[in-house]
Amino acid sequence: NSIQFWKALIVQYELEATILGEMGDPMVGERKECQKIIRLKSLNANTDIATLARKVVEECRLIHPSKLPEVEQLLFYLLNRKKSEKHSPRDLAPFEGMELDEEANINRIDHYVELLYEDIPEKVRGATLILHLARNPDNLEELLQNETALGALARVLREDWKQSVDLATTIIYVFFCFSSFSQFHGQVTHYKIGALCMNIIEHELKRYDLWQDELQKKAANQNVKKEHEKAFKKYQGLLIKQEQLLQVALHLLLNLAEDTRTELKMRNKNIVHTLVKTLDREDEELLVLVVSFLKKLSIFLENKNDMAETYAVEKLARLLPCKHEDLLNTTLRLLLNLSFDTGLRSQMVQAGLIPKLSALLADESQRQLCVCILYHISVDDRFKSMFAYTDCIPQLMKMLFDCGESPMDPELISFCINLAANKRNAQVICEGNGLKMLMKRGLKLKDVLTMKMIRNVSQHDGPTKNLFIDYVGDLAAQTGVQEREEYVIECLGTLANLTIPDLDWELVLKEYNLVPFLKDHLKPGSAEDDLILEVVIMIGTVSMDDSCAAMMAKSGIISALIELLNSQQEDDEFVCQIVYVFYQMVFHQATRDVIIKDTQAPAYLIDLMHDKNAEIRKVCDNTLDIIAEYDEEWGRKIQSEKFRWHNYQWLEMVDNRAMGDDGEPFMYGDDGEPFMHNGDILERPDLFYSAGTEESRNTQQRLNLFYSAGTEGSRNTQQRLNLFYSAGTAGGR
């Protein structure tokens, strides 16, 4: 069985050894798999394939004559096969200076090593011949055994790399060939080639800066224009050689970085700063390598922080868009890794990446990466509005509709959900038939994520909210059937957002029999907390209507809300939304009387006046102001409680002011005589109102504020109504 390998045939065969006994019978047998490599050095375009095949069969007794046609076919294939134009990340294309007028021979390795002890031109020739051998993987094992050759190469590189760029490039290329295989990394590390490469790269980058400074000085001087042109041509030639050296050295380091311990050593030598500095180059192949290296490093926190400090994102933004597909793809993958960091996302926005990435959505091959990066940017509320001024949203909507009834990519719909949380974005989404298409998909497929996007759109005041009037019935119908709970949550949440004056909620509640549904789902444990919370918010929305509030009161929902308040008193969101329902209901005469006379809701509100949550305190204060205005008895209780609370705070402040740091009374001198002597302490208010804290400084202001309770509540009812739509956390309206 023979197969081709490079310009050689590999013959695989089995060797069987048998020991015979005295009678000629086999006693012990052993089989061993072997192979023989037949090198075809004379195979070229002028070779007679048939003659060469016969010669191979005749000289190699392992190949049976019957295999002659197969040998001819393999020789023909070897002669005519095309070398691949693509290079894998571990491969390097041959570069200028590698050409030779003779063919390298492994048997002459000693002669090539001797050349390394001559002058620079001979050293370059010897290193190049060894490189030609090393580029053939067949020779690596044999070269590895030749410690003299590798030692000589390492010594010459260490001593002479500054004298010749060609010499340094060629020798590093030899070691790169070894670094392409993990099993040889130990030998490359043994000769400390990695550390030497770091030093060489750092030196070359400094040379590059000097060249740039020199060119700028000559360009600024108009008198030496010809000299500048001459220097520029020389610079371009030097730049080509330098970039070849950088490419080989960085390739070698990238291969060695497979070992995380070696990678850590590189990091300690500022590899990230070096790579980011190299991003200023124009050579696309070098840039692909540098960005690939940064992408590998970016998965570690320390390296990511280094990239943030060196403003790598700003330099990467320069590469977008570009015609080099590999460079574009690798750059986007690196940006995706970096986009998990909040600070780096800010740098991406400042570098103008939102419009650039939005434009790249049209490229199907890069679309997924762009969506993922933009999704991460859209997580931050500061940047959501920026998407409205690009063509991003129309492209996303087209991508959504192109999905038809098939499942959508989770990254795509998640991105759309984030964007819909911004008012201007929501308006762009609804342009044309946007909302109609979304509702059609969401209701037909019972798609939870589409409904979540619709719910985000519905939360914004203005023209977009009025577009939902046509779909109120469809949304309300989803609550009356046995649907998935998470789907019902989104439908109910969308309805709860529809605070539209022209909407007849009484008709909706009756037609779809929603009151029993709402009451049943208020019982603690009747459903998941998320659904119960949406039910509470829905009750708050419909309670804006006088007749709906009356329906709720008659159905016993108020007592159910108080019971729910007792069970969920540790959950600020629940408490805030339930108190908001009470706030809505005290606006209406029928429900106000029920709340004040038939329930203990005012007592609960008084308890919550001093809650730690600022939003809960606001809702309670405004609700109690309205109750105090309409009911004298509760008004006295509320005013008394407010006075008692602030009186307690005032006394506590006085006690703290009167005691020194050591806990001793602060109002008496050493002889026991009071500082005030026989004066009246009430004539010295400055002793009490000059206390250090904000709370004590503003005591008098707050006392004046609360004695005017009841009037503010009636004057600014509409302002409070607007205020409380923002009550609670993101789950609230």
Side-chain angles (χ1 to χ4, degrees), residues 455-467:
R455 178 182 173 184
N456 277 0
V457 172
S458 70
Q459 70 183 329
H460 306 293
D461 293 327
T464 52
K465 190 166 283 192
N466 292 324
L467 296 174

Side-chain angles (χ1 to χ4, degrees), residues 293-492:
F293 207 152
L294 286 170
K295 179 171 72 72
K296 182 185 185 307
L297 295 170
S298 67
I299 63 175
F300 291 100
L301 178 66
E302 298 82 1
N303 297 331
K304 181 264 298 178
N305 291 339
D306 286 348
M307 292 177 205
E309 290 173 8
T310 52
Y311 296 97
V313 167
E314 189 177 324
K315 296 191 176 185
L316 291 169
R318 181 183 71 87
L319 306 179
L320 298 180
C322 68
K323 295 180 180 179
H324 195 290
E325 193 168 336
D326 287 343
L327 179 57
L328 177 60
N329 185 266
T330 311
T331 304
L332 290 174
R333 290 183 181 279
L334 171 56
L335 287 171
L336 177 58
N337 283 1
L338 299 179
S339 67
F340 286 88
D341 181 87
T342 307
L344 284 165
R345 288 201 294 270
S346 297
Q347 289 188 23
M348 290 179 190
V349 174
Q350 291 167 8
L353 277 179
I354 289 180
K356 287 187 174 186
L357 293 169
S358 298
L360 284 171
L361 289 172
D363 184 349
E364 284 191 26
S365 59
Q366 313 299 344
R367 180 178 295 166
Q368 184 73 7
L369 288 169
C370 292
V371 167
C372 291
I373 299 168
L374 290 170
Y375 163 72
H376 284 162
I377 294 173
S378 72
V379 169
D380 196 320
D381 289 336
R382 295 175 298 164
F383 308 137
K384 285 186 172 73
S385 60
M386 297 183 181
F387 290 91
Y389 304 101
T390 68
D391 62 345
C392 179
I393 296 175
Q395 289 193 72
L396 292 176
M397 295 299 289
K398 184 179 183 303
M399 289 157 64
L400 283 179
F401 300 146
D402 286 346
C403 291
E405 296 185 6
S406 58
M408 291 180 289
D409 289 333
E411 296 85 4
L412 172 61
I413 186 62
S414 300
F415 182 25
C416 293
I417 290 169
N418 282 353
L419 293 182
N422 175 268
K423 184 174 182 178
R424 178 68 189 113
N425 291 341
Q427 292 172 353
V428 178
I429 288 169
C430 292
E431 286 177 0
N433 291 323
L435 181 60
K436 181 180 179 181
M437 298 293 288
L438 286 173
M439 290 296 302
K440 183 178 178 181
R441 178 185 173 87
L443 295 171
K444 184 176 181 180
L445 302 179
K446 313 294 183 186
D447 190 329
V448 176
L449 294 178
T450 302
M451 291 308 302
K452 191 179 288 289
M453 180 181 174
I454 292 169
R455 178 182 173 184
N456 277 0
V457 172
S458 70
Q459 70 183 329
H460 306 293
D461 293 327
T464 52
K465 190 166 283 192
N466 292 324
L467 296 174
F468 283 86
I469 291 179
D470 296 337
Y471 306 105
V472 170
D474 294 324
L475 292 167
Q478 306 306 309
T479 61
V481 293
Q482 295 298 319
E483 298 290 353
R484 286 183 299 163
E485 199 166 88
E486 58 266 31
Y487 177 69
V488 175
I489 287 172
E490 301 306 330
C491 294
L492 200 60

Side-chain angles (χ1 to χ4, degrees), residues 536 561-562 564-565 573-582:
V536 174
L561 285 169
I562 292 174
L564 182 62
L565 182 62
E573 181 67 14
F574 263 103
V575 173
C576 194
Q577 295 297 348
I578 292 171
V579 174
Y580 176 76
V581 174
F582 295 154

Side-chain angles (χ1 to χ4, degrees), residues 23-69:
M23 304 299 293
D25 299 327
M27 300 288 291
V28 180
E30 184 181 353
R31 286 190 176 186
K32 183 180 179 182
E33 291 187 355
C34 305
Q35 70 175 23
K36 178 179 176 61
I37 298 176
I38 305 172
R39 301 187 186 279
L40 305 166
K41 296 178 183 179
S42 61
L43 183 61
N44 55 52
N46 299 320
T47 303
D48 185 338
I49 297 295
T51 304
L52 181 59
R54 282 196 299 273
K55 184 179 179 182
V56 169
V57 173
E58 288 171 2
E59 293 185 1
C60 182
R61 297 171 58 190
L62 296 170
I63 303 176
H64 194 272
S66 62
K67 294 285 186 180
L68 180 61

Side-chain angles (χ1 to χ4, degrees), residues 14-235:
E14 281 188 354
L15 183 64
E16 183 175 347
T18 305
I19 299 176
L20 302 178
E22 294 180 359
M23 304 299 293
D25 299 327
M27 300 288 291
V28 180
E30 184 181 353
R31 286 190 176 186
K32 183 180 179 182
E33 291 187 355
C34 305
Q35 70 175 23
K36 178 179 176 61
I37 298 176
I38 305 172
R39 301 187 186 279
L40 305 166
K41 296 178 183 179
S42 61
L43 183 61
N44 55 52
N46 299 320
T47 303
D48 185 338
I49 297 295
T51 304
L52 181 59
R54 282 196 299 273
K55 184 179 179 182
V56 169
V57 173
E58 288 171 2
E59 293 185 1
C60 182
R61 297 171 58 190
L62 296 170
I63 303 176
H64 194 272
S66 62
K67 294 285 186 180
L68 180 61
E70 187 176 343
V71 173
E72 282 189 31
Q73 185 179 359
L74 289 172
L75 293 175
F76 181 79
Y77 171 78
L78 281 173
L79 183 63
N80 293 285
R81 68 174 177 174
K82 293 181 180 178
K83 291 185 178 179
S84 175
E85 293 294 326
K86 282 194 171 183
H87 302 280
S88 71
R90 293 182 176 277
D91 289 337
L92 278 172
F95 54 83
E96 187 180 349
M98 282 182 60
E99 302 84 3
L100 283 173
D101 55 3
E102 65 175 287
E103 189 173 350
N105 189 329
I106 192 68
N107 298 321
R108 300 195 65 204
I109 184 66
D110 293 337
H111 172 65
Y112 304 154
V113 173
E114 288 175 5
L115 291 173
L116 297 175
Y117 293 89
E118 303 295 334
D119 293 334
I120 294 297
E122 284 75 19
K123 286 178 179 178
V124 172
R125 182 174 180 79
T128 305
L129 286 162
I130 296 173
L131 172 58
H132 276 253
L133 295 175
R135 293 194 75 217
N136 183 347
D138 283 352
N139 296 327
L140 290 179
E141 286 278 7
E142 192 169 339
L143 286 172
L144 200 65
Q145 303 303 320
N146 195 328
E147 294 184 7
T148 305
L150 295 182
L153 286 167
R155 178 188 59 78
V156 171
L157 179 63
R158 193 161 44 250
E159 295 175 358
D160 298 332
W161 65 267
K162 286 186 180 179
Q163 297 184 40
S164 170
V165 173
D166 289 337
L167 180 62
T169 305
T170 306
I171 295 177
I172 293 173
Y173 204 145
V174 173
F175 285 102
F176 161 76
C177 293
F178 287 101
S179 73
S180 297
F181 300 91
S182 301
Q183 61 266 39
F184 300 142
H185 284 187
Q187 284 75 6
V188 178
T189 306
H190 171 71
Y191 292 105
K192 299 183 179 179
I193 302 301
L196 195 52
C197 283
M198 291 287 294
N199 294 336
I200 292 171
I201 292 169
E202 188 177 346
H203 174 79
E204 290 300 326
L205 291 178
K206 288 178 181 177
R207 284 182 67 196
Y208 176 77
D209 291 339
L210 290 173
W211 293 344
Q212 294 279 56
D213 292 341
E214 188 180 336
L215 278 174
Q216 286 176 2
K217 288 177 184 177
K218 290 184 177 179
N221 190 346
Q222 297 294 329
N223 298 326
V224 288
K225 189 174 181 181
K226 288 184 178 180
E227 191 177 333
H228 171 260
E229 290 175 358
K230 184 179 177 182
F232 184 71
K233 289 180 181 178
K234 180 183 176 183
Y235 160 77

